[in-house]
Amino acid sequence: MRVTTDLWVSALVRRVFGTGGFAAVVKRGATEAGAVFVLSRGRLGDAALYGPAPQTSYDSAKPDERFFTLLDTSDDASAFDTRLDKEKRFDPDIWVVEIEAGSVPLEELVSVKAE
């Protein structure tokens, strides 16, 4: 049984708050499924956008684990608005979660795969 996106995002937000960070759901998508995009903000103003990893990144032994890949980085998070608007037009069921990680790096909160 696959965990719903709603439950997965809720767990992510709790993990972030549990480590002293901040997280907010910017856009809610479909409850059962939907691609999740993570906008990570650093305390020095840097930002990075992560999106779903390609299907080739998944291991058949762990088919339910969610993997992310770095899409872009910038000093201004508003630079990602255009990219996210395109994604919303393509798939209106996407989720966007904004995170300012606390004492742990984002890679410890979500599984990031290198392209």
Side-chain angles (χ1 to χ4, degrees), residues 1-22:
M1 177 190 303
R2 185 177 174 113
V3 173
T4 64
T5 303
D6 185 41
L7 181 62
W8 188 89
V9 168
S10 295
L12 173 63
V13 169
R14 287 184 64 106
R15 278 195 313 267
V16 171
F17 278 112
T19 61
F22 176 78

PDB file of all heavy atoms in Angstrom, residues 1-22:
ATOM      1  N   MET A   1       0.830  -1.162   0.000  1.00  0.00           N
ATOM      2  CA  MET A   1       0.000   0.000   0.000  1.00  0.00           C
ATOM      3  C   MET A   1       0.890   1.245   0.000  1.00  0.00           C
ATOM      4  O   MET A   1       1.829   1.337   0.767  1.00  0.00           O
ATOM      5  CB  MET A   1      -0.894   0.009   1.238  1.00  0.00           C
ATOM      6  CG  MET A   1      -1.735   1.253   1.292  1.00  0.00           C
ATOM      7  SD  MET A   1      -2.625   1.545   2.833  1.00  0.00           S
ATOM      8  CE  MET A   1      -3.578   0.102   3.013  1.00  0.00           C
ATOM      9  N   ARG A   2       0.602   2.182  -0.874  1.00  0.00           N
ATOM     10  CA  ARG A   2       1.389   3.399  -0.987  1.00  0.00           C
ATOM     11  C   ARG A   2       0.834   4.481  -0.053  1.00  0.00           C
ATOM     12  O   ARG A   2      -0.367   4.652   0.074  1.00  0.00           O
ATOM     13  CB  ARG A   2       1.369   3.896  -2.426  1.00  0.00           C
ATOM     14  CG  ARG A   2       2.260   5.091  -2.629  1.00  0.00           C
ATOM     15  CD  ARG A   2       2.286   5.510  -4.085  1.00  0.00           C
ATOM     16  NE  ARG A   2       3.033   6.723  -4.200  1.00  0.00           N
ATOM     17  CZ  ARG A   2       4.173   6.843  -4.811  1.00  0.00           C
ATOM     18  NH1 ARG A   2       4.700   5.800  -5.387  1.00  0.00           N
ATOM     19  NH2 ARG A   2       4.793   7.981  -4.885  1.00  0.00           N
ATOM     20  N   VAL A   3       1.716   5.209   0.575  1.00  0.00           N
ATOM     21  CA  VAL A   3       1.329   6.315   1.452  1.00  0.00           C
ATOM     22  C   VAL A   3       0.798   7.451   0.582  1.00  0.00           C
ATOM     23  O   VAL A   3       1.394   7.785  -0.446  1.00  0.00           O
ATOM     24  CB  VAL A   3       2.554   6.785   2.273  1.00  0.00           C
ATOM     25  CG1 VAL A   3       2.240   8.029   3.055  1.00  0.00           C
ATOM     26  CG2 VAL A   3       3.050   5.675   3.168  1.00  0.00           C
ATOM     27  N   THR A   4      -0.306   8.057   0.996  1.00  0.00           N
ATOM     28  CA  THR A   4      -0.868   9.159   0.223  1.00  0.00           C
ATOM     29  C   THR A   4       0.060  10.363   0.275  1.00  0.00           C
ATOM     30  O   THR A   4       0.835  10.531   1.227  1.00  0.00           O
ATOM     31  CB  THR A   4      -2.255   9.574   0.751  1.00  0.00           C
ATOM     32  OG1 THR A   4      -2.114  10.081   2.072  1.00  0.00           O
ATOM     33  CG2 THR A   4      -3.241   8.423   0.706  1.00  0.00           C
ATOM     34  N   THR A   5      -0.035  11.205  -0.724  1.00  0.00           N
ATOM     35  CA  THR A   5       0.801  12.399  -0.770  1.00  0.00           C
ATOM     36  C   THR A   5       0.478  13.318   0.399  1.00  0.00           C
ATOM     37  O   THR A   5       1.375  13.906   1.003  1.00  0.00           O
ATOM     38  CB  THR A   5       0.608  13.137  -2.103  1.00  0.00           C
ATOM     39  OG1 THR A   5       0.911  12.236  -3.170  1.00  0.00           O
ATOM     40  CG2 THR A   5       1.499  14.353  -2.206  1.00  0.00           C
ATOM     41  N   ASP A   6      -0.790  13.423   0.741  1.00  0.00           N
ATOM     42  CA  ASP A   6      -1.204  14.252   1.863  1.00  0.00           C
ATOM     43  C   ASP A   6      -0.510  13.823   3.162  1.00  0.00           C
ATOM     44  O   ASP A   6       0.044  14.643   3.893  1.00  0.00           O
ATOM     45  CB  ASP A   6      -2.724  14.170   2.017  1.00  0.00           C
ATOM     46  CG  ASP A   6      -3.251  15.096   3.092  1.00  0.00           C
ATOM     47  OD1 ASP A   6      -2.771  16.240   3.175  1.00  0.00           O
ATOM     48  OD2 ASP A   6      -4.142  14.680   3.838  1.00  0.00           O
ATOM     49  N   LEU A   7      -0.493  12.535   3.427  1.00  0.00           N
ATOM     50  CA  LEU A   7       0.154  12.010   4.633  1.00  0.00           C
ATOM     51  C   LEU A   7       1.669  12.200   4.564  1.00  0.00           C
ATOM     52  O   LEU A   7       2.312  12.590   5.543  1.00  0.00           O
ATOM     53  CB  LEU A   7      -0.184  10.531   4.819  1.00  0.00           C
ATOM     54  CG  LEU A   7       0.399   9.866   6.057  1.00  0.00           C
ATOM     55  CD1 LEU A   7      -0.145  10.520   7.323  1.00  0.00           C
ATOM     56  CD2 LEU A   7       0.081   8.381   6.053  1.00  0.00           C
ATOM     57  N   TRP A   8       2.262  11.967   3.397  1.00  0.00           N
ATOM     58  CA  TRP A   8       3.708  12.105   3.233  1.00  0.00           C
ATOM     59  C   TRP A   8       4.141  13.556   3.472  1.00  0.00           C
ATOM     60  O   TRP A   8       5.125  13.822   4.172  1.00  0.00           O
ATOM     61  CB  TRP A   8       4.148  11.628   1.847  1.00  0.00           C
ATOM     62  CG  TRP A   8       5.623  11.567   1.712  1.00  0.00           C
ATOM     63  CD1 TRP A   8       6.442  10.518   2.001  1.00  0.00           C
ATOM     64  CD2 TRP A   8       6.490  12.628   1.273  1.00  0.00           C
ATOM     65  NE1 TRP A   8       7.749  10.863   1.780  1.00  0.00           N
ATOM     66  CE2 TRP A   8       7.804  12.146   1.326  1.00  0.00           C
ATOM     67  CE3 TRP A   8       6.277  13.923   0.838  1.00  0.00           C
ATOM     68  CZ2 TRP A   8       8.898  12.917   0.969  1.00  0.00           C
ATOM     69  CZ3 TRP A   8       7.376  14.709   0.484  1.00  0.00           C
ATOM     70  CH2 TRP A   8       8.664  14.197   0.548  1.00  0.00           C
ATOM     71  N   VAL A   9       3.393  14.507   2.900  1.00  0.00           N
ATOM     72  CA  VAL A   9       3.733  15.926   3.074  1.00  0.00           C
ATOM     73  C   VAL A   9       3.567  16.335   4.537  1.00  0.00           C
ATOM     74  O   VAL A   9       4.404  17.057   5.084  1.00  0.00           O
ATOM     75  CB  VAL A   9       2.890  16.812   2.132  1.00  0.00           C
ATOM     76  CG1 VAL A   9       3.019  18.286   2.491  1.00  0.00           C
ATOM     77  CG2 VAL A   9       3.305  16.589   0.676  1.00  0.00           C
ATOM     78  N   SER A  10       2.514  15.857   5.177  1.00  0.00           N
ATOM     79  CA  SER A  10       2.312  16.161   6.602  1.00  0.00           C
ATOM     80  C   SER A  10       3.479  15.656   7.440  1.00  0.00           C
ATOM     81  O   SER A  10       3.951  16.353   8.344  1.00  0.00           O
ATOM     82  CB  SER A  10       1.016  15.530   7.103  1.00  0.00           C
ATOM     83  OG  SER A  10      -0.088  16.106   6.469  1.00  0.00           O
ATOM     84  N   ALA A  11       3.950  14.459   7.143  1.00  0.00           N
ATOM     85  CA  ALA A  11       5.089  13.895   7.870  1.00  0.00           C
ATOM     86  C   ALA A  11       6.355  14.712   7.614  1.00  0.00           C
ATOM     87  O   ALA A  11       7.147  14.945   8.531  1.00  0.00           O
ATOM     88  CB  ALA A  11       5.303  12.440   7.478  1.00  0.00           C
ATOM     89  N   LEU A  12       6.545  15.160   6.385  1.00  0.00           N
ATOM     90  CA  LEU A  12       7.709  15.985   6.056  1.00  0.00           C
ATOM     91  C   LEU A  12       7.683  17.289   6.854  1.00  0.00           C
ATOM     92  O   LEU A  12       8.690  17.689   7.438  1.00  0.00           O
ATOM     93  CB  LEU A  12       7.761  16.277   4.556  1.00  0.00           C
ATOM     94  CG  LEU A  12       8.833  17.269   4.098  1.00  0.00           C
ATOM     95  CD1 LEU A  12      10.230  16.734   4.397  1.00  0.00           C
ATOM     96  CD2 LEU A  12       8.677  17.575   2.618  1.00  0.00           C
ATOM     97  N   VAL A  13       6.535  17.937   6.891  1.00  0.00           N
ATOM     98  CA  VAL A  13       6.409  19.195   7.625  1.00  0.00           C
ATOM     99  C   VAL A  13       6.713  18.972   9.102  1.00  0.00           C
ATOM    100  O   VAL A  13       7.439  19.761   9.724  1.00  0.00           O
ATOM    101  CB  VAL A  13       5.003  19.805   7.417  1.00  0.00           C
ATOM    102  CG1 VAL A  13       4.750  20.957   8.366  1.00  0.00           C
ATOM    103  CG2 VAL A  13       4.832  20.249   5.963  1.00  0.00           C
ATOM    104  N   ARG A  14       6.227  17.900   9.684  1.00  0.00           N
ATOM    105  CA  ARG A  14       6.505  17.603  11.095  1.00  0.00           C
ATOM    106  C   ARG A  14       7.996  17.339  11.329  1.00  0.00           C
ATOM    107  O   ARG A  14       8.562  17.766  12.333  1.00  0.00           O
ATOM    108  CB  ARG A  14       5.685  16.409  11.552  1.00  0.00           C
ATOM    109  CG  ARG A  14       4.213  16.733  11.712  1.00  0.00           C
ATOM    110  CD  ARG A  14       3.477  15.554  12.257  1.00  0.00           C
ATOM    111  NE  ARG A  14       3.943  15.224  13.588  1.00  0.00           N
ATOM    112  CZ  ARG A  14       3.266  15.457  14.696  1.00  0.00           C
ATOM    113  NH1 ARG A  14       2.089  16.023  14.631  1.00  0.00           N
ATOM    114  NH2 ARG A  14       3.755  15.109  15.867  1.00  0.00           N
ATOM    115  N   ARG A  15       8.638  16.605  10.390  1.00  0.00           N
ATOM    116  CA  ARG A  15      10.084  16.341  10.530  1.00  0.00           C
ATOM    117  C   ARG A  15      10.869  17.641  10.511  1.00  0.00           C
ATOM    118  O   ARG A  15      11.817  17.830  11.275  1.00  0.00           O
ATOM    119  CB  ARG A  15      10.576  15.424   9.415  1.00  0.00           C
ATOM    120  CG  ARG A  15      10.328  13.971   9.657  1.00  0.00           C
ATOM    121  CD  ARG A  15      11.131  13.071   8.725  1.00  0.00           C
ATOM    122  NE  ARG A  15      11.101  13.455   7.333  1.00  0.00           N
ATOM    123  CZ  ARG A  15      10.232  12.989   6.422  1.00  0.00           C
ATOM    124  NH1 ARG A  15       9.310  12.129   6.776  1.00  0.00           N
ATOM    125  NH2 ARG A  15      10.292  13.371   5.165  1.00  0.00           N
ATOM    126  N   VAL A  16      10.490  18.559   9.611  1.00  0.00           N
ATOM    127  CA  VAL A  16      11.198  19.835   9.503  1.00  0.00           C
ATOM    128  C   VAL A  16      11.049  20.630  10.800  1.00  0.00           C
ATOM    129  O   VAL A  16      12.032  21.131  11.338  1.00  0.00           O
ATOM    130  CB  VAL A  16      10.695  20.645   8.292  1.00  0.00           C
ATOM    131  CG1 VAL A  16      11.275  22.050   8.301  1.00  0.00           C
ATOM    132  CG2 VAL A  16      11.038  19.936   6.991  1.00  0.00           C
ATOM    133  N   PHE A  17       9.816  20.742  11.302  1.00  0.00           N
ATOM    134  CA  PHE A  17       9.605  21.463  12.552  1.00  0.00           C
ATOM    135  C   PHE A  17      10.323  20.785  13.707  1.00  0.00           C
ATOM    136  O   PHE A  17      10.832  21.447  14.612  1.00  0.00           O
ATOM    137  CB  PHE A  17       8.112  21.602  12.863  1.00  0.00           C
ATOM    138  CG  PHE A  17       7.458  22.751  12.136  1.00  0.00           C
ATOM    139  CD1 PHE A  17       6.524  22.510  11.151  1.00  0.00           C
ATOM    140  CD2 PHE A  17       7.785  24.061  12.439  1.00  0.00           C
ATOM    141  CE1 PHE A  17       5.922  23.553  10.477  1.00  0.00           C
ATOM    142  CE2 PHE A  17       7.186  25.113  11.768  1.00  0.00           C
ATOM    143  CZ  PHE A  17       6.252  24.863  10.783  1.00  0.00           C
ATOM    144  N   GLY A  18      10.394  19.462  13.675  1.00  0.00           N
ATOM    145  CA  GLY A  18      11.074  18.716  14.726  1.00  0.00           C
ATOM    146  C   GLY A  18      12.568  18.957  14.770  1.00  0.00           C
ATOM    147  O   GLY A  18      13.210  18.759  15.798  1.00  0.00           O
ATOM    148  N   THR A  19      13.143  19.388  13.667  1.00  0.00           N
ATOM    149  CA  THR A  19      14.582  19.669  13.625  1.00  0.00           C
ATOM    150  C   THR A  19      14.883  21.155  13.793  1.00  0.00           C
ATOM    151  O   THR A  19      16.010  21.583  13.584  1.00  0.00           O
ATOM    152  CB  THR A  19      15.199  19.176  12.298  1.00  0.00           C
ATOM    153  OG1 THR A  19      14.582  19.869  11.212  1.00  0.00           O
ATOM    154  CG2 THR A  19      15.037  17.686  12.140  1.00  0.00           C
ATOM    155  N   GLY A  20      13.860  21.933  14.127  1.00  0.00           N
ATOM    156  CA  GLY A  20      14.080  23.364  14.350  1.00  0.00           C
ATOM    157  C   GLY A  20      13.944  24.211  13.111  1.00  0.00           C
ATOM    158  O   GLY A  20      14.289  25.389  13.122  1.00  0.00           O
ATOM    159  N   GLY A  21      13.433  23.648  12.035  1.00  0.00           N
ATOM    160  CA  GLY A  21      13.250  24.396  10.805  1.00  0.00           C
ATOM    161  C   GLY A  21      11.825  24.899  10.662  1.00  0.00           C
ATOM    162  O   GLY A  21      11.023  24.832  11.593  1.00  0.00           O
ATOM    163  N   PHE A  22      11.520  25.405   9.485  1.00  0.00           N
ATOM    164  CA  PHE A  22      10.185  25.907   9.173  1.00  0.00           C
ATOM    165  C   PHE A  22       9.749  25.307   7.851  1.00  0.00           C
ATOM    166  O   PHE A  22      10.543  25.198   6.919  1.00  0.00           O
ATOM    167  CB  PHE A  22      10.192  27.435   9.073  1.00  0.00           C
ATOM    168  CG  PHE A  22       8.876  27.997   8.652  1.00  0.00           C
ATOM    169  CD1 PHE A  22       7.838  28.115   9.552  1.00  0.00           C
ATOM    170  CD2 PHE A  22       8.669  28.370   7.338  1.00  0.00           C
ATOM    171  CE1 PHE A  22       6.609  28.621   9.152  1.00  0.00           C
ATOM    172  CE2 PHE A  22       7.442  28.868   6.929  1.00  0.00           C
ATOM    173  CZ  PHE A  22       6.410  28.993   7.847  1.00  0.00           C
TER     174      PHE A  22
END
